[in-house]
Amino acid sequence: MSTLALLLVLVLTCSASSAQRVQSKFHTDSATVSVTVIVDRFGSGNFTTVQQAIDWAPTNNNQWIRIHVKAGTYTEQVSIPQNKPYILLEGEGRKTIIQSGGHGSVRGTSTFTVNADNFVASRITFKNTYNVNKLIARDQDAAPNARPHIERAPAVMIWGDKASFYACGFVSLQDTLSDMQGRHYFNDCYIEGAVDFIWGFGQSIYEHCHIYSTHAFRGRLRGLAGYITAQGRLSSNDSSGFVFKYCIVNGDGNTYLGRAYRAYSRVIFFKSKLGGNVVPEGWNAGKFVGEEFQFTYAEEGCYGPGSNNSNRVKWMKTLNQRELAPLVSRHRFIDRDGWIKAQPSPS
């Protein structure tokens, strides 16, 4: 870090008192934050946009930097490059929103992209407004049974390893949360979408999260079902997969729990409450009809009106304790090196 950057850090540290700290409800053994800077769109902080704060962060940093984002709606695309690790991005709850309307190809369209390792976000909502705004307009102009053309519109895309999210919101319709690669942890988050809205090749645990499936279809087509997950495990030796522990699944749109994105797709719902909007079949083979024996789709200890598995697809797995334990254990599945507690404690 340059001398000028060090001087700036000392100045900005003095302003950190204006970011109110609250006691963490997640974990207490954590790394020390070296400096806090404040983003306020109205001009009372150190920066007025989130990207300005990211751009300021030193490259190849090895100390945690807290970026506190004041309440407000920040309409911008934000990207954290690979050479800017150790960032804690902290909002002020539901009133802190980062949004944009990128769409089409998943690359370059996400509202928020994390390319760096070692990232933490807490109490921020990430939103892609494109499909939502488009459907509102369609409802006003189109025939009631017209099928909408929904486009990929990611709210968040995660390429880095060791990323964790606490009490965050993720809102879009298609490809909402692009959990692309690496080990990730989500706690007490809200995730909303309609089509493949949690997808990718990530190795992730979602704990105490609210998964809300919204309808993307109006009129006589409203009964069509969406898909919560589209996980892309590539082989039997691939360690990736999505595990949902103690979650709530509901919404105003019918949905499958998942469809295969690659031939060894792996998704587990464990001790979660499944709403009546989950279709009886539960799972969909996607483009891999005939290869279903390679999937690992399982529901263990779930409850609620959508948990009746009497009409589930015949190829849904029933895992024994030896098979299940390493998948639902946070330590064994994603955290053998203790990276989660080594991160700063989120507020």
Side-chain angles (χ1 to χ4, degrees):
M1 188 183 298
S2 69
T3 301
L4 179 59
L6 284 170
L7 288 173
L8 182 56
V9 165
L10 291 174
V11 170
L12 293 175
T13 302
C14 295
S15 67
S17 60
S18 62
Q20 298 298 315
R21 301 272 75 76
V22 296
Q23 182 64 38
S24 169
K25 67 176 182 177
F26 299 108
H27 64 78
T28 55
D29 298 328
S30 61
T32 300
V33 173
S34 63
V35 62
T36 296
V37 296
I38 298 170
V39 178
D40 182 1
R41 64 186 294 262
F42 300 105
S44 66
N46 307 109
F47 306 99
T48 57
T49 73
V50 178
Q51 190 63 57
Q52 285 173 352
I54 299 298
D55 293 343
W56 163 82
T59 58
N60 301 314
N61 181 47
N62 61 4
Q63 294 183 314
W64 284 96
I65 294 172
R66 178 186 285 113
I67 298 174
H68 183 89
V69 186
K70 302 283 281 186
T73 298
Y74 298 80
T75 302
E76 56 177 307
Q77 281 189 300
V78 179
S79 180
I80 301 179
Q82 189 175 7
N83 62 0
K84 295 200 174 186
Y86 297 103
I87 288 176
L88 164 59
L89 188 70
E90 173 187 85
E92 296 185 347
R94 290 175 179 259
K95 294 183 179 180
T96 302
I97 300 169
I98 303 173
Q99 67 176 27
S100 72
H103 60 278
S105 170
V106 293
R107 289 188 179 271
T109 64
S110 181
T111 296
F112 192 85
T113 302
V114 182
N115 294 299
D117 295 345
N118 278 300
F119 172 78
V120 179
S122 73
R123 301 192 298 146
I124 291 181
T125 292
F126 306 94
K127 182 184 294 187
N128 192 308
T129 61
Y130 174 74
N131 284 320
V132 175
N133 292 343
K134 186 177 180 182
L135 288 180
I136 291 172
R138 192 199 66 80
D139 276 355
Q140 296 171 348
D141 301 327
N145 63 339
R147 183 166 187 165
H149 176 65
I150 299 171
E151 294 190 31
R152 295 177 173 182
V156 168
M157 180 165 283
I158 313 165
W159 292 99
D161 190 29
K162 302 179 183 179
S164 57
F165 296 80
Y166 300 86
C168 287
F170 306 84
V171 179
S172 184
L173 284 187
Q174 181 164 351
D175 297 349
T176 302
L177 177 48
S178 301
D179 190 347
M180 298 309 295
Q181 66 181 23
R183 295 167 294 168
H184 309 141
Y185 178 60
F186 302 83
N187 188 300
D188 194 30
C189 291
Y190 174 83
I191 309 165
E192 178 182 310
V195 180
D196 301 342
F197 63 96
I198 304 173
W199 77 286
F201 306 88
Q203 182 174 340
S204 303
I205 287 184
Y206 297 78
E207 201 164 56
H208 298 289
C209 291
H210 183 183
I211 315 299
Y212 191 90
S213 179
T214 189
H215 63 77
F217 310 107
R218 308 303 206 262
R220 292 198 296 270
L221 291 170
R222 182 169 177 172
L224 292 178
Y227 307 90
I228 294 174
T229 65
Q231 203 280 330
R233 187 165 173 252
L234 294 168
S235 72
S236 59
N237 296 320
D238 186 340
S239 62
S240 73
F242 299 157
V243 176
F244 297 86
K245 295 178 59 177
Y246 320 131
C247 291
I248 295 173
V249 175
N250 60 18
D252 61 8
N254 293 337
T255 189
Y256 290 88
L257 295 172
R259 65 172 167 177
Y261 183 57
R262 291 293 186 268
Y264 289 82
S265 183
R266 178 162 65 181
V267 181
I268 312 294
F269 281 85
F270 178 72
K271 294 186 177 181
S272 293
K273 183 177 181 179
L274 307 183
N277 64 318
V278 175
V279 298
E281 300 88 344
W283 305 91
N284 187 285
K287 297 179 180 179
F288 298 93
V289 175
E291 301 178 60
E292 295 92 342
F293 66 96
Q294 298 173 151
F295 307 155
T296 303
Y297 290 154
E299 304 165 42
E300 300 292 338
C302 294
Y303 59 100
S307 65
N308 184 341
N309 59 18
S310 60
N311 291 312
R312 288 293 196 260
V313 291
K314 301 303 181 185
W315 37 266
M316 185 178 79
K317 294 286 195 302
T318 298
L319 304 179
N320 59 40
Q321 186 58 29
R322 180 183 60 81
E323 295 169 318
L324 184 65
L327 296 175
V328 300
S329 165
R330 187 173 72 181
H331 168 70
R332 296 175 67 180
F333 189 54
I334 62 171
D335 193 33
R336 287 183 180 273
D337 53 355
W339 62 269
I340 294 175
K341 282 192 174 183
Q343 293 183 334
S345 180
S347 60

